[in-house]
Coordinates of all heavy atoms in Angstrom, one line a residue:
D1 N 0.9 -1.2 0.0 CA -0.1 0.0 0.0 C 0.9 1.3 0.1 O 2.2 1.2 0.1 CB -0.9 0.0 1.2 CG -0.2 -0.2 2.6 OD1 0.9 0.3 2.6 OD2 -0.9 -0.5 3.6
M2 N 0.2 2.4 -0.2 CA 0.9 3.6 -0.2 C 0.2 4.7 0.4 O -1.1 4.7 0.4 CB 1.3 4.1 -1.7 CG 2.1 5.4 -1.7 SD 1.3 6.9 -1.7 CE 0.7 7.0 -3.4
F3 N 0.7 5.4 1.4 CA 0.0 6.4 2.0 C 0.8 7.8 1.8 O 2.0 7.9 1.7 CB -0.2 6.3 3.5 CG 1.0 6.6 4.4 CD1 1.1 7.8 5.0 CD2 2.0 5.6 4.8 CE1 2.3 8.0 5.9 CE2 2.9 5.9 5.5 CZ 3.1 7.0 6.2
N4 N 0.0 9.0 1.8 CA 0.5 10.3 1.6 C 0.3 11.0 2.9 O -0.8 11.3 3.4 CB -0.2 10.9 0.5 CG 0.4 12.3 0.0 OD1 1.0 13.0 0.8 ND2 0.2 12.6 -1.2
H5 N 1.5 11.5 3.5 CA 1.3 12.2 4.8 C 1.0 13.5 4.7 O 0.5 14.2 5.6 CB 2.8 12.1 5.4 CG 2.7 12.0 7.0 ND1 2.0 12.9 7.8 CD2 3.1 11.1 7.8 CE1 2.2 12.6 9.0 NE2 2.8 11.5 9.1
N6 N 1.1 14.2 3.5 CA 0.7 15.6 3.1 C 1.5 16.6 3.8 O 1.9 17.6 3.1 CB -0.8 15.8 3.4 CG -1.6 15.2 2.2 OD1 -1.5 15.6 1.1 ND2 -2.5 14.2 2.4
F7 N 1.6 16.7 5.2 CA 2.3 17.7 5.8 C 2.0 19.1 5.3 O 3.0 19.8 5.1 CB 3.9 17.4 5.7 CG 4.4 16.3 6.4 CD1 5.0 15.3 5.8 CD2 4.3 16.1 7.9 CE1 5.5 14.1 6.3 CE2 4.8 15.0 8.4 CZ 5.3 13.9 7.8
P8 N 0.8 19.5 5.3 CA 0.5 20.9 5.1 C 1.1 22.0 6.1 O 1.0 21.6 7.4 CB -1.0 21.0 5.0 CG -1.4 19.9 6.0 CD -0.4 18.8 5.7
V9 N 1.6 23.1 5.8 CA 1.9 24.1 6.7 C 1.5 25.3 6.1 O 2.2 26.2 5.4 CB 3.5 24.2 6.9 CG1 3.9 25.3 8.0 CG2 4.1 22.8 7.4
I10 N 0.2 25.6 6.1 CA -0.5 26.7 5.4 C -0.2 28.0 6.0 O -0.7 28.3 7.1 CB -2.0 26.5 5.2 CG1 -2.2 25.1 4.6 CG2 -2.6 27.6 4.3 CD1 -3.7 24.7 4.4
D11 N 0.6 28.9 5.4 CA 1.0 30.2 5.9 C 1.6 30.1 7.3 O 1.4 31.1 8.2 CB -0.2 31.2 5.9 CG -0.6 31.5 4.4 OD1 0.3 31.6 3.6 OD2 -1.8 31.7 4.1
K12 N 2.2 28.9 7.6 CA 2.9 28.8 8.9 C 2.0 28.9 10.0 O 2.5 29.1 11.1 CB 4.1 29.8 9.0 CG 5.2 29.6 7.9 CD 6.2 30.5 8.1 CE 7.4 30.4 6.9 NZ 8.5 31.3 7.1
E13 N 0.7 28.7 9.9 CA -0.3 28.7 11.0 C 0.0 27.5 12.0 O 0.0 26.4 11.4 CB -1.7 28.8 10.3 CG -2.7 29.0 11.5 CD -2.8 30.3 12.2 OE1 -2.1 31.2 11.6 OE2 -3.3 30.3 13.3
P14 N 0.1 27.8 13.2 CA 0.2 26.6 14.1 C -1.2 25.9 14.2 O -2.3 26.4 13.9 CB 0.4 27.3 15.5 CG 0.0 28.7 15.3 CD 0.2 29.1 13.9
T15 N -1.1 24.6 14.6 CA -2.4 23.8 14.6 C -3.2 24.3 15.8 O -2.8 24.2 16.9 CB -1.9 22.3 14.9 OG1 -1.0 21.9 13.8 CG2 -3.2 21.4 14.8
G16 N -4.5 24.6 15.4 CA -5.3 25.2 16.3 C -6.7 25.5 15.8 O -6.9 25.0 14.6
P17 N -7.5 26.4 16.3 CA -9.0 26.7 15.7 C -8.9 27.2 14.4 O -9.9 27.2 13.7 CB -9.4 27.7 16.9 CG -8.8 27.3 18.2 CD -7.3 26.9 17.6
N18 N -7.8 27.8 14.0 CA -7.7 28.4 12.6 C -7.6 27.4 11.6 O -7.8 27.7 10.4 CB -6.7 29.5 12.5 CG -7.0 30.7 13.2 OD1 -8.1 31.1 13.4 ND2 -6.0 31.3 13.8
I19 N -7.3 26.1 11.9 CA -7.1 25.1 11.0 C -8.3 24.1 10.9 O -8.8 23.7 11.9 CB -5.9 24.2 11.3 CG1 -4.6 25.1 11.2 CG2 -5.7 23.0 10.4 CD1 -4.2 25.7 9.9
K20 N -8.9 23.9 9.7 CA -10.0 23.0 9.4 C -9.8 22.1 8.3 O -9.0 22.4 7.3 CB -11.2 24.0 9.1 CG -12.4 23.2 8.9 CD -13.6 24.1 8.3 CE -14.2 25.0 9.3 NZ -15.4 25.8 8.7
F21 N -10.5 20.9 8.6 CA -10.4 19.9 7.5 C -11.9 19.5 7.1 O -12.7 19.3 8.0 CB -9.6 18.5 8.0 CG -8.2 18.9 8.0 CD1 -7.6 19.4 9.2 CD2 -7.2 18.5 7.2 CE1 -6.2 19.8 9.4 CE2 -6.0 18.8 7.2 CZ -5.4 19.5 8.5
I22 N -12.1 19.3 5.8 CA -13.4 19.1 5.3 C -13.4 17.8 4.4 O -12.6 17.6 3.5 CB -14.0 20.3 4.5 CG1 -14.0 21.5 5.3 CG2 -15.4 19.9 4.1 CD1 -14.3 22.8 4.6
F23 N -14.3 16.9 4.7 CA -14.4 15.6 3.9 C -15.8 15.5 3.2 O -16.7 16.2 3.6 CB -14.2 14.5 4.8 CG -12.9 14.5 5.7 CD1 -12.8 15.2 6.9 CD2 -11.7 14.0 5.1 CE1 -11.7 15.3 7.6 CE2 -10.5 14.0 5.9 CZ -10.5 14.7 7.2
P24 N -15.9 14.6 2.2 CA -17.2 14.4 1.6 C -18.1 13.6 2.3 O -19.3 13.3 1.7 CB -16.8 13.9 0.2 CG -15.5 13.1 0.5 CD -14.8 13.8 1.6
F25 N -17.8 13.1 3.5 CA -18.6 12.1 4.2 C -18.6 12.6 5.6 O -17.7 13.3 6.1 CB -18.1 10.7 4.1 CG -16.6 10.5 4.4 CD1 -16.2 10.4 5.7 CD2 -15.8 10.6 3.4 CE1 -14.9 10.2 6.0 CE2 -14.3 10.5 3.7 CZ -13.9 10.2 5.0
D26 N -19.6 12.2 6.4 CA -19.6 12.5 8.0 C -18.5 11.5 8.4 O -18.5 10.3 8.4 CB -21.0 11.9 8.5 CG -22.1 12.9 8.1 OD1 -21.7 14.2 7.8 OD2 -23.2 12.6 8.1
V27 N -17.6 12.3 9.2 CA -16.3 11.6 9.6 C -16.4 11.2 11.1 O -17.1 12.2 11.9 CB -15.1 12.5 9.2 CG1 -15.2 13.8 10.0 CG2 -13.8 11.7 9.6

């Protein structure tokens, strides 16, 4: 198998309430 770790660092924002993830299904 293969997985993609992605490692986003969007505008160097620390992980917290300003970071959101959206999926096409109820997660």
Side-chain angles (χ1 to χ4, degrees):
D1 56 21
M2 183 269 279
F3 79 91
N4 188 330
H5 213 304
N6 280 298
F7 291 120
V9 184
I10 305 176
D11 292 325
K12 300 181 181 180
E13 182 68 21
T15 304
N18 289 325
I19 298 297
K20 177 192 289 189
F21 291 83
I22 306 171
F23 304 89
F25 51 86
D26 287 334
V27 64

